[in-house]
Amino acid sequence: MIERVAYLSMHTSPLLQPGEGDAGGMNVYVQELSETMAARGVDVDVFTRRESPALPDIVEVGPRYRVHHVEAGPARPLPITKQALFVREYADGVLDHYQESARPDMVHSHYWLSGWAGLIVKRSLGVPLANSFHTLGRVKDLTRRDGEPPESLLRLAAEHEVIEGSDCLVASTPLESEDLLSHYGADPARLCMSPPGVDHDVFSPGDRASARRRLGLPEGPLVLFVGRIQALKGLDVLVESFRLTHEKLPDARLLVVGGPSGPKGSKELDLLAASVESAGLADSVDLVPPVAHSRLADYYRAADVLHVPSRSESFGLVAAEGQSCGLPVVATRVGGLTHAVDDGRSGVLVEGWEPLDHATAVLKILDDPALAREYAQGAVDWSQRFSWDATANRFLELYSGAVARAGV
């Protein structure tokens, strides 16, 4: 029986606001998984790097669920590339905790930095290690925007090391499993698949007019984007696609909810604002700073289409949450989005990043109310397969299997 789990999330805390900086779907993943596991009676300790001297050493998030702020480098936000210098210090901070506490049954690291640290923790404590990458460097390189630099050789080397040393490699979708096999030569015997979940108590269908009133939004066709402002999210495709949509439907609006992410985030935000201005869309596009995760439900309910033109997604949690609210999705046929969206039933998957193709898919839904209603119901139905309870069940099964194989 699994009684204690350590979750390693070095570069970002589950307590941070998703949608800006390095906080996104992974933060939601770790937070929701931790809460669900704790509700099952599992003691959960999440370890993240301290980014401010004012942060407490330990935050008691809830019964059986704690977040530890570990000293690893200067106590301020750092780019991920700089955080790599402090992986050993972070791992030592995790190990310091277990000098005085019972060791966990399982360590589960998230992202390549935490996975790198997880190898140290695993070997020191003698417990199994599971790792969820959330994104893979080689896969991101395959679809990066022109002009974007490739992923660092350090990251790629670390990913290979983590893959070699993990007892359980967690993939969110069958396609991610294939990526681990084909691009990294992962051992098939150590691949484990478990998709993220959706909190259906928060993300559920609601009245569109009421949601718009609460948000102060006007009537008319509304396209929604939710996510961090970074090149990976296909914002160039988003704006040009909306320009073409706006030519056909002049009363259409685009709502962009999210903040800058990574060292180039501010530049991307400026580029986004400039592209909106140069396209003559300043009066039809609203840039909204990140909002509390639970408040996103009203944005999903208020919109007519959720546009996800990402260049890479390990899963696409935003798409799953939007569908749970009855929102049809137009997304790139890439990565986990091919699993998160039911093409032709809950929305439309588009090949590639040609803005005209994306605009055509968006207009297909906006121009046909009957089809939009059909997709909305299909979205709700499809989203039911994603729940945190199901995710927790799967992880408890995977953890128990890893512990049994390790004989600890």
Side-chain angles (χ1 to χ4, degrees), residues 37-188:
M37 284 292 192
R40 298 289 186 86
V42 178
D43 279 331
V44 177
D45 289 286
V46 178
F47 298 88
T48 190
R49 194 185 73 86
R50 181 188 294 280
E51 290 195 340
S52 167
L55 290 169
D57 291 341
I58 302 175
V59 177
E60 297 281 351
V61 183
R64 297 181 178 272
Y65 170 24
R66 297 160 293 277
V67 172
H68 303 255
H69 294 109
V70 178
E71 302 288 348
R76 66 173 187 269
L78 291 174
I80 290 175
T81 52
K82 295 291 181 64
Q83 291 187 41
L85 299 172
F86 305 105
V87 165
R88 178 78 224 199
E89 189 177 342
Y90 168 78
D92 287 343
V94 175
L95 292 171
D96 285 345
H97 169 76
Y98 289 110
Q99 288 184 358
E100 300 178 358
S101 301
R103 70 177 185 176
D105 300 306
M106 189 80 188
V107 175
H108 185 169
S109 51
H110 296 267
Y111 200 58
W112 66 273
L113 273 181
S114 297
W116 209 8
L119 293 175
I120 300 171
V121 175
K122 167 193 169 171
R123 292 161 185 161
S124 298
L125 296 181
V127 297
L129 172 68
N131 187 76
S132 298
F133 280 103
H134 295 276
T135 64
L136 291 163
R138 290 190 182 279
V139 176
K140 289 177 70 175
D141 278 344
L142 292 174
T143 57
R144 69 178 184 270
R145 192 177 70 192
D146 289 346
E148 285 295 302
E151 293 298 310
S152 70
L153 294 177
L154 175 64
R155 173 178 182 169
L156 300 181
E159 287 177 338
H160 278 281
E161 187 175 347
V162 173
I163 288 167
E164 180 67 25
S166 296
D167 298 276
C168 177
L169 295 167
V170 181
S172 293
T173 66
L175 185 56
E176 188 178 1
S177 292
E178 291 178 15
D179 287 335
L180 286 163
L181 290 169
S182 60
H183 297 298
Y184 293 87
D187 180 356

Side-chain angles (χ1 to χ4, degrees), residues 368-393:
D368 190 338
L371 180 64
R373 288 192 296 271
E374 180 182 328
Y375 279 169
Q377 185 57 57
V380 173
D381 293 343
W382 187 252
S383 73
Q384 297 306 305
R385 65 183 52 211
F386 307 119
S387 77
W388 289 112
D389 277 336
T391 301
N393 288 341

Side-chain angles (χ1 to χ4, degrees), residues 223-229 233 235 238 255-257 306-307 309:
V223 179
L224 175 67
F225 170 90
V226 175
R228 289 178 287 168
I229 307 303
K233 299 299 182 180
L235 292 159
L238 177 76
L255 196 61
V256 179
V257 180
L306 178 66
H307 193 185

